Amino acid sequence: MPLALSLRDNGSIQGDFGISRTAMQYEAVTRLQLSQVETLVFAGGGNRCWWQAGVVNHWMANGWRLPPTLVGTSAGAAVAAAALTSGGLKRAFDACGQLFRDNPRVVERRGLLPRHWRFAHDWLYPAWLASFVNENTFQNLSESPQRLLISLTRPARRLGLGGSVVAGTLAYLVDKFVWNRLHPGLPRMLGLRQEFLDLHACSTLAEAQTLLLAAAAAPPMMRAQQVAGALAIDGGYLDSVPVLPEDEADPAGTLVLLTRHYPRMPMLFRYQGRHYLQPSQRVPVSTWDCTARTDIQAALALGKRDVATVMEHALVTTD
């Protein structure tokens, strides 16, 4: 597909970058002021989300304050929660590294059938969450001036939990890797439903931990959770890039931190009015591995290098 570009007066470059079979228009953005960001979105992506931590930590260390609204799902929601507490990103990173070093295997097979297997994520992820969302930090989270909206997936009523997991996974893979859509549409067509819940509305620590756990619950690796009286699973089953509807968040004031690298796209671009920042390359870490061989430091380091590059070239400024 040919690459057609046109320069705009606002410092953006418009073109069809061939990311989808549909004619969706993206713009390569040449400058973004963080002071104009009102909503910061943390996409899911497992261990790739440490790239986001590297980016956000750099901005905060240089005096930037998080915007009024944060949105996240899966591990992205957890990274966002860690960023809301003093020193939370470092505590979360250190705890993750220690848990991984102490974990010998991803799955323990207690029989031939998958139902007899125990995935390490089912106990490791709650332990990791508790390292930075706990009795010492819950009050700070509850009183934070920023609100954190967490995206969950509700199973399709006609498919049930198991059918929704299978159908949602297949539909997501087709949408993401065959059609290469930034925001998949098939899972929604199959009846899966997206729901945003405010972490600040949680009245107890256990409720907050359950909400964050549900946002990353990917059966059979992690069990579905009961949230607000109904089953909830990983928000990524519907869309791992959870953006709010336009009537709830101004697209022009929204910045999305992706964790997947789209080779045909620039690092900073605009789509449907929102700004997106993506890794400069494939984040060099396994998404789901949780053992000593998992190099989360490489993901964090790439985030730090990428943000230093965009700041150095004034693609993104903190003023």
Side-chain angles (χ1 to χ4, degrees):
M1 180 180 293
L3 179 64
L5 300 175
S6 60
L7 183 63
R8 289 189 163 190
D9 293 337
N10 63 0
S12 64
I13 302 172
Q14 184 177 27
D16 182 355
F17 291 87
I19 195 173
S20 172
R21 294 184 178 184
T22 59
M24 293 190 291
Q25 294 294 309
Y26 294 79
E27 299 172 286
V29 177
T30 59
R31 59 181 178 270
L32 171 66
Q33 293 178 313
L34 289 178
S35 59
Q36 299 176 348
V37 175
E38 296 293 323
T39 301
L40 184 64
V41 178
F42 292 75
N47 289 318
R48 298 197 310 269
C49 292
W50 289 117
W51 179 87
Q52 298 169 328
V55 171
V56 172
N57 186 68
H58 179 94
W59 286 337
M60 294 176 67
N62 282 275
W64 182 62
R65 295 176 61 86
L66 291 169
T69 300
L70 308 182
V71 182
T73 195
S74 192
V79 169
L84 289 175
T85 64
S86 178
L89 287 173
K90 185 179 187 305
R91 284 197 304 274
F93 183 82
D94 292 344
C96 183
Q98 187 61 56
L99 287 165
F100 283 6
R101 285 190 294 272
D102 293 342
N103 180 45
R105 61 183 64 86
V106 173
V107 58
E108 181 180 353
R109 294 176 174 85
R110 299 176 177 177
L112 296 177
L113 298 178
R115 67 171 179 268
H116 298 304
W117 300 355
R118 187 192 183 198
F119 287 87
H121 309 82
D122 208 31
W123 63 265
L124 189 149
Y125 200 82
W128 175 59
L129 288 176
S131 72
F132 56 93
V133 179
N134 50 48
E135 292 180 353
N136 297 323
T137 64
F138 179 62
Q139 183 174 352
N140 290 337
L141 279 172
S142 301
E143 298 175 353
S144 169
Q146 293 87 10
R147 65 171 185 163
L148 172 54
L149 299 178
I150 297 176
S151 173
L152 308 172
T153 297
R154 297 293 191 181
R157 294 184 178 91
R158 67 178 182 273
L159 297 177
L161 176 61
S164 294
V165 169
V166 173
T169 300
L170 293 176
Y172 182 88
L173 292 174
V174 170
D175 249 341
K176 203 78 171 181
F177 297 105
V178 178
W179 292 344
N180 291 316
R181 289 175 175 166
L182 191 59
H183 296 286
L186 278 177
R188 198 182 303 272
M189 293 173 61
L190 292 173
L192 277 71
R193 293 160 290 138
Q194 185 180 52
E195 186 173 343
F196 292 94
L197 295 178
D198 193 340
L199 186 68
H200 286 62
C202 296
S203 58
T204 67
L205 171 60
E207 190 178 347
Q209 290 176 334
T210 298
L211 179 55
L212 287 165
L213 185 59
M221 287 180 286
M222 291 171 56
R223 288 168 289 180
Q225 299 293 312
Q226 284 280 341
V227 176
L231 282 176
I233 52 178
D234 193 321
Y237 279 110
L238 191 138
D239 190 350
S240 64
V241 187
V243 295
L244 295 173
E246 291 188 12
D247 60 347
E248 296 185 29
D250 178 18
T254 298
L255 173 61
V256 180
L257 298 179
L258 299 170
T259 62
R260 188 180 302 280
H261 175 60
Y262 297 87
R264 296 184 180 183
M265 302 299 295
M267 278 190 67
L268 181 64
F269 62 93
R270 186 184 296 117
Y271 171 58
Q272 293 185 343
R274 304 181 189 93
H275 292 88
Y276 293 76
L277 182 66
Q278 70 156 331
S280 61
Q281 63 181 63
R282 181 183 177 276
V283 180
V285 68
S286 167
T287 301
W288 288 101
D289 198 0
C290 54
T291 62
R293 63 177 177 268
T294 311
D295 193 359
I296 58 174
Q297 179 62 50
L300 187 76
L302 179 63
K304 292 180 178 180
R305 291 198 304 271
D306 282 350
V307 72
T309 297
V310 298
M311 300 297 285
E312 179 182 351
H313 292 84
L315 283 174
V316 178
T317 61
T318 56
D319 54 12

